Amino acid sequence: MIKRAVSVISLLLVFLFSCKPKNKKDSTLCSSDYNQTELLTNYAENLIIPGLETFEKSLISLQMVWQGYASNGVSLKELKDSFTETYLELQKIQCFDFGPMESQIFMEKANYFPLNQGALAQSISSANINFSEPERFDIGFPALELLFFGLSNSDIDSFNTDQTRQYIGAILKDLVQRIKTVNADWVSYKTTFINAQGTDAGSSLSLIVNALNKSFEISKRDRIGIPSGVLTLGLKQPELVEAPHSFISNKLLLANLEYSKLFFQGKHGGINGEGLDDVLAYINADKNERGLRNSIEDNYDAIFSKIQLFPGSLKEQVQSANSSVVELYALMSKQVVYLKSDMPSVLCIGITYLDNPSDSD
Amino acid sequence: MAVLALGFSSCEKDNKKEEISTYSVPSTYNFDNVDYSGQTARLGMLAEMSSYLKSANASGVTIDEKRALAMYENSPDANFTGNFDASKQLKSKTISTEQGLMSSLIADLSNLSSVTSNAVEGAAGRIKNNAKTKEYLLNDKGIELAQIIEKGLMGACFYYQATSVYFGTSKIDVDNETVEAGKGTKMQHHWDEAFGYFGVPLDFPLNNAGLFFWGKYTNSRDGALACNSKIMNAFIKGRAAIGAKNIVDRDAAISTIRSEWEKVSAASAVHYLNAALASFSSDKGVVHHSLSEAIAFIYSLKFNVEKSASLSDIDAYLNSLAGSSDITKMDLYKTTKENIEGVKANLSNQFGFTAIADTL
């Protein structure tokens, strides 16, 4: 009986396929004639390399502003502004976390949060600037954010002590060194990247799709899921938002997700270059009535609208109107289905990163 | 097209009908490929840690903070008697929101264990029951931290892992085809791990020996709730249903376990509220000890994904009982008899225990 049912189903499928208009293209990438050269060239030359260079400039500028502050020429406000600007730029490069950036473990060094304040106080007093140690939660932008914006409630007296200044200087120096190496490596990596076509695990398309997803899932889990309590039976942890002291967590989140959409679209400086959206359009990827490409774009916009309705900081939003944050989480979960399940399956790409390696059961 | 779709769905229906098979449910948890050694190890770790922390109830015994915290994290300083694999620990399996609180309560208890005075309002110390057979170490607000830590971890670790993690979709809606020798399919294995946290032998309740934590409290409430067989039968039925790939029955068993286990925690809280009421004006040692137990069982109610008391209900109970829903701010010296009676009545009402509340 089961065998018969299967053969009936396959007969029906044959019927369904044959109903398709003849001019429609294949519905998966691996069975299509799509050429990836323009796509990968656009990502390398117009998005990733310029994006990383912009970030490097911004970071070096922050380092100079810090040095100016430390020698009394620059005001605290200017320092905070420069920090905020660079933190916003950092959000935009999170999608590039493969190849040279991954080799430099840049995101781990730049933005592991939540900050471990106790460890930070200890690292400052013991001048522990060995940043090659793995899994440090007392470095990068979260450490600078506390030191520049939030000292009144912490164990650290002031960031004007010599020890603290040295620690801040060391963080910036380490990050500048790493991003310079990333940019230098991209010079030769670019050709490798553009030539690594196809859909295998090592292909550049696979790297892009995986990096986009990894970045999006970090936002969903760490920026929204954990503080809002969605992942902990409704027990909220508002103090675990990204950037809890400077009240810029909403801005950072929006910058991160807006760039995620631009990256999906292959857009740069207002120009709509060849992107993942175009690949989905080329192969006519189905989803709902709107198709997969439009469904993804519509949902990005719904996510942005939701965040824009948060009047204060994300921390306050969790404290006083968490249901809207939980709704945002639901929209982001929907997006993960599109980006991590639907898109890879039509692009013939495997998701290769582990989003949350679990410990022993 | 419409005709095709109709034909399609009707043959799908036929298939489904055929898939539902009958299956036998054994009388004990006697299945192939059952392994929950990680859970057994954690029950053992909490048993040793609790016993170490409670040793400071006796005057003159101090707790080494480093060792106590190492026991929570299973790091080398723990000096456990049991042989526990280094990859297993209590802390990493405690719900993330409570790990910091538990560590700080363990540190607090260690610090106050060196006091030599009697417990009085505003000062930590020890207190005996009237019979002088029991002694308890209380903090400056009259809370027996050892109880909060032990029962709190029963909730925030074991109960949470079983009812919310292993029965959550990411752990239970997994492969049920590939059998790993000794562990079964992924779905079977996760089910067994949830069972491991219940702390009973495979032939419970026929066999009542070797009960740990929730197993012990379930057995203590059995007279009033008949919960032994309700929970055990659901664990057995669900495991058999997984073997027969019957997800509907599995999910029904999950709901039963979540709800009956929750009742055990709520009823245990009422039991200790009764004990506090019985001694309220006569035996302060018993009152502080019993209220600490009750608070921990109410606090534990938070950690069930399908709970019937909401987080705000639970916070309200804690608030009425101890002046705060935050354990670090609770003060049992301000608790009145009316406070206890009120929580007992509301909690019993919420869980349908009103008629049996006095017998719990």
Side-chain angles (χ1 to χ4, degrees):
Chain A
M1 174 63 196
I2 288 174
K3 242 187 191 170
R4 216 188 87 212
V6 169
S7 65
V8 170
I9 288 167
S10 47
L11 208 79
L12 289 174
L13 287 177
V14 171
F15 247 107
L16 287 173
F17 274 114
S18 66
C19 294
K20 262 182 130 183
K22 285 222 167 74
N23 61 350
K24 279 220 171 181
K25 301 198 181 67
D26 295 290
S27 57
T28 66
L29 183 62
C30 35
S31 55
S32 89
D33 57 355
Y34 183 82
N35 184 319
Q36 296 184 4
T37 307
E38 191 190 340
L39 176 86
L40 297 179
T41 307
N42 183 47
Y43 274 107
E45 289 184 352
N46 299 322
L47 282 92
I48 300 173
I49 294 173
L52 288 169
E53 281 169 354
T54 303
F55 177 74
E56 180 183 319
K57 280 192 196 119
S58 185
L59 186 64
I60 288 175
S61 154
L62 171 61
Q63 189 183 33
M64 286 166 63
V65 170
W66 162 251
Q67 284 159 356
Y69 175 84
S71 58
N72 294 325
V74 169
S75 71
L76 180 59
K77 184 181 181 305
E78 285 171 274
L79 175 64
K80 287 179 172 181
D81 289 348
S82 175
F83 171 83
T84 301
E85 194 188 309
T86 311
Y87 210 169
L88 287 165
E89 289 296 331
L90 176 68
Q91 302 295 326
K92 302 181 190 169
I93 66 168
Q94 195 178 308
C95 289
F96 311 157
D97 193 10
F98 55 85
M101 214 168 130
E102 196 179 22
S103 306
Q104 287 300 312
I105 30 177
F106 192 79
M107 289 313 299
E108 175 180 328
K109 301 305 171 191
N111 202 21
Y112 254 23
F113 67 96
L115 178 73
N116 182 337
Q117 285 198 35
L120 175 63
Q122 211 163 34
S123 291
I124 290 173
S125 62
S126 63
N128 178 3
I129 57 168
N130 177 12
F131 298 125
S132 57
E133 268 175 37
E135 299 281 315
R136 282 189 66 164
F137 280 81
D138 58 354
I139 59 175
F141 281 72
L144 298 178
E145 199 250 355
L146 172 78
L147 296 171
F148 294 167
F149 290 84
L151 280 188
S152 55
N153 300 319
S154 86
D155 298 336
I156 301 149
D157 296 333
S158 152
F159 66 102
N160 286 319
T161 63
D162 284 348
Q163 277 180 322
T164 313
R165 286 180 186 219
Q166 279 162 15
Y167 193 77
I168 293 169
I171 287 176
L172 287 166
K173 189 178 162 197
D174 177 68
L175 291 177
V176 165
Q177 189 53 53
R178 284 177 200 271
I179 199 66
K180 280 186 168 170
T181 310
V182 171
N183 277 315
D185 289 351
W186 260 97
V187 174
S188 59
Y189 179 70
K190 187 180 113 177
T191 317
T192 316
F193 177 80
I194 294 171
N195 290 337
Q197 301 193 1
T199 56
D200 292 346
S203 67
S204 297
L205 186 65
S206 170
L207 297 179
I208 290 174
V209 169
N210 275 284
L212 173 70
N213 269 296
K214 193 170 149 195
S215 169
F216 194 88
E217 282 207 293
I218 288 172
S219 287
K220 179 185 153 223
R221 185 189 63 221
D222 297 347
R223 295 189 168 88
I224 296 298
I226 291 175
S228 66
V230 175
L231 303 174
T232 45
L233 308 179
L235 296 159
K236 301 187 285 187
Q237 300 178 98
E239 68 285 1
L240 298 189
V241 295
E242 181 181 32
H245 309 287
S246 53
F247 304 108
I248 57 170
S249 35
N250 281 342
K251 273 191 189 167
L252 296 175
L253 177 68
L254 198 56
N256 184 293
L257 297 173
E258 282 177 343
Y259 193 79
S260 175
K261 183 184 177 191
L262 294 176
F263 189 74
F264 169 74
Q265 295 173 313
K267 269 192 184 172
H268 54 94
I271 299 162
N272 193 351
E274 191 75 3
L276 293 170
D277 63 331
D278 300 300
V279 187
L280 295 180
Y282 187 86
I283 59 175
N284 264 307
D286 278 342
K287 187 77 192 180
N288 313 332
E289 318 81 67
R290 300 265 295 141
L292 184 54
R293 171 196 186 156
N294 292 329
S295 297
I296 290 174
E297 292 183 342
D298 292 352
N299 199 39
Y300 267 123
D301 295 340
I303 288 168
F304 304 157
S305 308
K306 185 63 89 182
I307 299 169
Q308 280 154 353
L309 287 175
F310 297 171
S313 73
L314 186 56
K315 189 172 160 185
E316 292 164 329
Q317 193 72 17
V318 168
Q319 281 165 337
S320 60
N322 196 41
S323 60
S324 59
V325 185
V326 174
E327 286 161 20
L328 171 63
Y329 185 85
L331 288 174
M332 294 178 82
S333 301
K334 186 172 151 190
Q335 194 76 335
V336 168
V337 175
Y338 294 154
L339 294 176
K340 195 179 176 185
S341 165
D342 296 337
M343 181 165 77
S345 92
V346 292
L347 296 185
C348 315
I349 296 290
I351 293 296
T352 51
Y353 69 94
L354 280 178
D355 77 277
N356 199 4
S358 65
D359 56 359
S360 169
D361 284 332
Chain B
M1 189 64 185
V3 175
L4 285 178
L6 204 71
F8 191 81
S9 70
S10 76
C11 53
E12 197 176 45
K13 246 183 210 164
D14 289 348
N15 276 348
K16 271 194 183 149
K17 245 182 220 162
E18 272 196 351
E19 277 169 22
I20 295 172
S21 58
T22 54
Y23 57 96
S24 61
V25 180
S27 59
T28 66
Y29 205 88
N30 179 22
F31 298 97
D32 291 336
N33 298 318
V34 173
D35 173 22
Y36 46 83
S37 50
Q39 287 59 46
T40 307
R42 290 188 189 87
L43 299 182
M45 284 186 241
L46 184 59
E48 280 200 44
M49 185 174 92
S50 284
S51 144
Y52 181 55
L53 295 178
K54 286 177 188 169
S55 69
N57 281 337
S59 305
V61 177
T62 58
I63 297 297
D64 172 10
E65 178 181 337
K66 213 170 146 192
R67 179 176 177 210
L69 287 170
M71 289 174 119
Y72 186 37
E73 296 166 13
N74 191 16
S75 51
D77 289 330
N79 284 319
F80 279 123
T81 317
N83 186 14
F84 304 122
D85 190 277
S87 68
K88 316 290 181 203
Q89 53 165 290
L90 291 166
K91 186 174 182 180
S92 69
K93 294 295 171 186
T94 305
I95 187 171
S96 60
T97 54
E98 311 304 299
Q99 292 175 8
L101 172 69
M102 287 299 159
S103 294
S104 74
L105 294 178
I106 291 167
D108 289 349
L109 185 152
S110 308
N111 288 330
L112 58 92
S113 65
S114 59
V115 300
T116 51
S117 47
N118 290 333
V120 288
E121 183 165 2
R126 291 179 176 81
I127 189 169
K128 285 184 175 161
N129 63 354
N130 287 348
K132 313 281 180 211
T133 52
K134 300 259 186 182
E135 190 170 20
Y136 308 107
L137 174 65
L138 307 182
N139 75 0
D140 58 337
K141 308 277 180 57
I143 295 180
E144 189 191 347
L145 292 178
Q147 291 301 333
I148 303 284
I149 296 163
E150 180 186 41
K151 273 74 184 187
L153 284 175
M154 281 170 58
C157 185
F158 302 160
Y159 175 64
Y160 165 67
Q161 285 291 327
T163 63
S164 306
V165 177
Y166 284 119
F167 286 168
T169 176
S170 67
K171 286 278 190 187
I172 207 69
D173 291 328
V174 292
D175 179 62
N176 193 24
E177 299 294 332
T178 311
V179 175
E180 189 185 333
K183 290 186 170 185
T185 65
K186 280 210 167 73
M187 197 192 289
Q188 287 171 332
H189 185 51
H190 292 163
W191 186 273
D192 295 338
E193 290 182 303
F195 174 69
Y197 281 123
F198 187 41
V200 300
L202 297 174
D203 51 354
F204 180 76
L206 199 66
N207 172 7
N208 281 340
L211 300 180
F212 281 95
F213 300 110
W214 286 109
K216 198 177 103 192
Y217 285 93
T218 299
N219 193 43
S220 301
R221 302 285 88 74
D222 188 55
L225 303 180
C227 44
N228 283 356
S229 56
K230 280 183 196 160
I231 298 178
M232 191 64 189
N233 289 347
F235 268 118
I236 295 170
K237 172 98 188 273
R239 181 57 157 79
I242 291 173
K245 314 216 184 299
N246 188 327
I247 300 305
V248 173
D249 286 4
R250 180 203 72 181
D251 289 347
I254 289 176
S255 285
T256 302
I257 294 166
R258 282 173 173 165
S259 125
E260 296 302 323
W261 198 329
E262 185 186 29
K263 284 181 197 160
V264 170
S265 195
S268 298
V270 174
H271 169 80
Y272 285 107
L273 294 177
N274 282 337
L277 286 170
S279 298
F280 195 77
S281 46
S282 57
D283 195 335
K284 284 294 163 199
V286 171
V287 172
H288 285 271
H289 167 74
S290 304
L291 285 178
S292 302
E293 297 244 29
I295 284 166
F297 279 110
I298 294 171
Y299 163 83
S300 290
L301 294 172
K302 292 183 181 187
F303 307 109
N304 181 334
V305 71
E306 209 180 317
K307 53 184 161 289
S308 45
S310 69
L311 287 177
S312 53
D313 292 339
I314 296 165
D315 283 349
Y317 293 139
L318 295 173
N319 215 23
S320 326
L321 211 49
S324 174
S325 57
D326 177 347
I327 286 171
T328 62
K329 298 191 176 103
M330 289 178 174
D331 188 348
L332 294 183
Y333 288 106
K334 303 277 192 290
T335 306
T336 65
K337 199 172 181 187
E338 290 69 34
N339 294 148
I340 305 172
E341 282 166 343
V343 172
K344 178 187 164 186
N346 291 332
L347 191 59
S348 301
N349 182 45
Q350 179 154 33
F351 284 89
F353 300 149
T354 306
I356 54 163
D358 291 338
T359 70
L360 282 167

